Amino acid sequence: MDKPAVSPWMPVIRKLERRHPLSPVDREALAALPMTVREVKAATYLVREGDQPEHCCILLSGYAHRHKLTKEGSRQIVSIHMAGDMIDLQQVLLSRADHNVQTLTRATVGTVATDCLKNLALARPQIAEAFWRDTLIDASIFREWVLNVGRREAPARIAHLLCEFGTRSEGAGLSDCGRFELPMTQEQLADATGMTPVHVNRTLQYLGAQGLIERKMRSINVVDWQNLKRVAGFQDNYLHEETAASQATGRAPIAQPATG
Amino acid sequence: MDKPAVSPWMPVIRKLERRHPLSPVDREALAALPMTVREVKAATYLVREGDQPEHCCILLSGYAHRHKLTKEGSRQIVSIHMAGDMIDLQQVLLSRADHNVQTLTRATVGTVATDCLKNLALARPQIAEAFWRDTLIDASIFREWVLNVGRREAPARIAHLLCEFGTRSEGAGLSDCGRFELPMTQEQLADATGMTPVHVNRTLQYLGAQGLIERKMRSINVVDWQNLKRVAGFQDNYLHEETAASQATGRAPIAQPATG
DNA sequence: CGATAGATTGATACTGCTCAATATGGGTGG
DNA sequence: CCACCCATATTGAGCAGTATCAATCTATCG
């Protein structure tokens, strides 16, 4: 029983519990799963399209992005991940990866056998529920991205990305009083917003000129959250951060026996 | 025990089982859930953003689309649904809807209390797994839509939408030997592809001129699947229709006891 | 102090948008 | 059965937002 003082599972458990509390038993069952931890460089592939991995990656520190490629080779980043994200939960039930995941920064990555996760989910309904909820929220974020890329103009797209990243960093306890560093090059921003790098550059300058953000080197600082959100048309409901909180405050999504 | 000869749950069960077989017990447990069935007109809202519904809609016949709106009022359709789709599975765990669902055609809609579904999932791991898998595949489709809208040009976007719809219709047993009617106006196509209706019109004409599709009235006929797929850059892996089949043929996503 | 990835700038081209008019077709009431 | 109506589809002309291409500049690192 060589259990380390601080389980590497902590960021994951914290994230799952932000949405819905786990029982101590479930928490321990999760933390007891064997996990291999390793450090990887920036730009390391964690998943490749077509893979049939028997292990599931978990991001313990650092950042990563998930992307797909067209046949012509254009890249579209479809999500950004940070500490605590179970990048690969879908490998538990879908055998073949339909996308790539690559680190944005140096990162600490945990690896768990998909079997272990699946068996745990089968054995513990609350864990299964937590995993399912996690997937549902990911799906909600993808929907918002479809909207972002499909129906917003360049400044709003970039602004929205910044708002989402900022909000999620905050939620994950990774931001320093609203201040955060976006670990993405302009080319990556372009791939995340369906733009070109050149246009990203000009759009960032525009947002700067509007007094919404400040940039020095490769770090972006949000100066005026209020107006950045306005420009982005950002509403955080789709992140579903409220779920746990609303239950705690009795905001009553409590179901009634309303069936016939 | 007044069980109807053909349960309204059939299309749902068929869809879930396309991905992974259910045990007879699970099948019956699902079919035993109380469901209210009703007919609705085209353009009926089944879910509205901000709703906290205690019931979950299931599409038993007809078509529907899921969409989001920007603050300025632009619409982005993020998915299309057909018979057998559990439109609202996310309401089981996420209290507040972050999008709208509206019928495209007249439709038959089943309604089930979210509680019933949740309790069933808690009680029956295989059902929970089936629901989770359904959500994972939906998420995969959303990712593909981000790519479609973000990184493909107009003809490819439309072509891709047609390919996806055709493939899914086929899978759901709704298409008549490759022939199908797409129940969408050009305006709706525009909202699904991040384009304008005018440009959709021109793009459809272009695809027609290329000999890929034929149109009469409001129905589209794919003439040349091969080349339509090529233009679309369509690869069906993201639909994960293979999962059940690959397991049946022993394509071995069978996990080994590879943990330490 | 080069080497190199990334950022920035300018000039130009083009895809797709806007606006506005016209056509079509299917349904409806008289 | 016809005239009308409405939503939808189609067309044209001009414009706008982004893309493309090609330099140049700037950090950062060995």
Side-chain angles (χ1 to χ4, degrees), chain B residues 133-179:
Chain B
R133 178 177 287 112
D134 192 70
T135 301
L136 285 166
I137 294 174
D138 279 355
S140 172
I141 296 176
F142 292 138
R143 286 193 291 271
E144 184 70 30
W145 280 50
V146 176
L147 175 64
N148 198 40
V149 165
R151 284 294 186 220
R152 292 203 182 96
E153 302 211 321
R157 280 189 216 177
I158 297 284
H160 197 278
L161 185 76
L162 294 175
C163 288
E164 177 177 314
F165 190 84
T167 305
R168 287 178 54 204
S169 297
E170 191 79 30
L174 295 169
S175 98
D176 171 19
C177 51
R179 198 167 221 135

Side-chain angles (χ1 to χ4, degrees), chain A residues 25-44:
Chain A
V25 181
D26 288 327
R27 226 168 12 233
E28 276 162 35
L30 196 55
L33 290 188
M35 185 198 279
T36 309
V37 177
R38 67 192 159 124
E39 298 276 329
V40 301
K41 291 187 295 192
T44 303

Side-chain angles (χ1 to χ4, degrees), chain B residues 67-82:
Chain B
H67 70 263
K68 303 191 64 146
L69 301 169
T70 65
K71 269 191 176 163
E72 296 76 41
S74 312
R75 184 198 327 272
Q76 177 68 47
I77 293 178
V78 298
S79 60
I80 298 170
H81 294 283
M82 48 189 70

Side-chain angles (χ1 to χ4, degrees), chain B residues 104-117:
Chain B
L104 285 163
T105 60
R106 240 183 309 157
T108 317
V109 176
T111 304
V112 188
T114 51
D115 276 0
C116 291
L117 287 167

Side-chain angles (χ1 to χ4, degrees), chain B residues 20-247:
Chain B
H20 195 78
L22 292 172
S23 74
V25 181
D26 287 327
R27 230 175 0 240
E28 275 162 34
L30 196 56
L33 290 187
M35 183 199 280
T36 309
V37 177
R38 69 193 158 121
E39 297 278 328
V40 300
K41 291 186 294 191
T44 303
Y45 276 90
L46 302 179
V47 185
R48 277 178 191 275
E49 187 163 354
D51 279 358
Q52 292 185 289
E54 283 156 13
H55 292 82
C56 175
C57 286
I58 298 174
L59 202 53
L60 301 173
S61 79
Y63 294 88
H65 70 278
R66 190 185 302 261
H67 70 263
K68 303 191 64 146
L69 301 169
T70 65
K71 269 191 176 163
E72 296 76 41
S74 312
R75 184 198 327 272
Q76 177 68 47
I77 293 178
V78 298
S79 60
I80 298 170
H81 294 283
M82 48 189 70
D85 285 359
M86 307 187 73
I87 306 177
D88 259 346
L89 218 34
Q90 77 156 0
Q91 311 298 349
V92 174
L93 293 183
L94 303 181
S95 54
R96 202 177 290 266
D98 53 60
H99 58 258
N100 307 283
V101 179
Q102 198 177 6
T103 54
L104 285 163
T105 60
R106 240 183 309 157
T108 317
V109 176
T111 304
V112 188
T114 51
D115 276 0
C116 291
L117 287 167
K118 184 167 181 175
N119 291 335
L120 187 66
L122 286 173
R124 307 207 141 268
Q126 299 293 340
I127 297 264
E129 183 181 317
F131 287 172
W132 184 17
R133 178 177 287 112
D134 192 70
T135 301
L136 285 166
I137 294 174
D138 279 355
S140 172
I141 296 176
F142 292 138
R143 286 193 291 271
E144 184 70 30
W145 280 50
V146 176
L147 175 64
N148 198 40
V149 165
R151 284 294 186 220
R152 292 203 182 96
E153 302 211 321
R157 280 189 216 177
I158 297 284
H160 197 278
L161 185 76
L162 294 175
C163 288
E164 177 177 314
F165 190 84
T167 305
R168 287 178 54 204
S169 297
E170 191 79 30
L174 295 169
S175 98
D176 171 19
C177 51
R179 198 167 221 135
F180 60 87
E181 186 158 342
L182 185 68
M184 296 173 76
T185 65
Q186 292 182 4
E187 185 176 10
Q188 288 160 343
L189 281 172
D191 287 340
T193 51
M195 298 165 55
T196 52
V198 172
H199 203 219
V200 165
N201 182 284
R202 288 174 173 140
T203 305
L204 287 173
Q205 291 181 38
Y206 170 80
L207 294 175
Q210 298 296 109
L212 304 177
I213 61 174
E214 267 171 11
R215 300 177 302 141
K216 44 177 189 252
M217 314 280 128
R218 284 177 198 157
S219 94
I220 294 176
N221 240 308
V222 175
V223 178
D224 183 350
W225 270 106
Q226 203 60 45
N227 279 310
L228 190 69
K229 285 185 183 176
R230 192 179 44 71
V231 168
F234 182 78
Q235 290 172 286
D236 66 2
N237 62 323
Y238 73 98
L239 294 172
H240 293 278
E241 304 265 359
E242 90 292 346
T243 308
S246 69
Q247 287 175 347

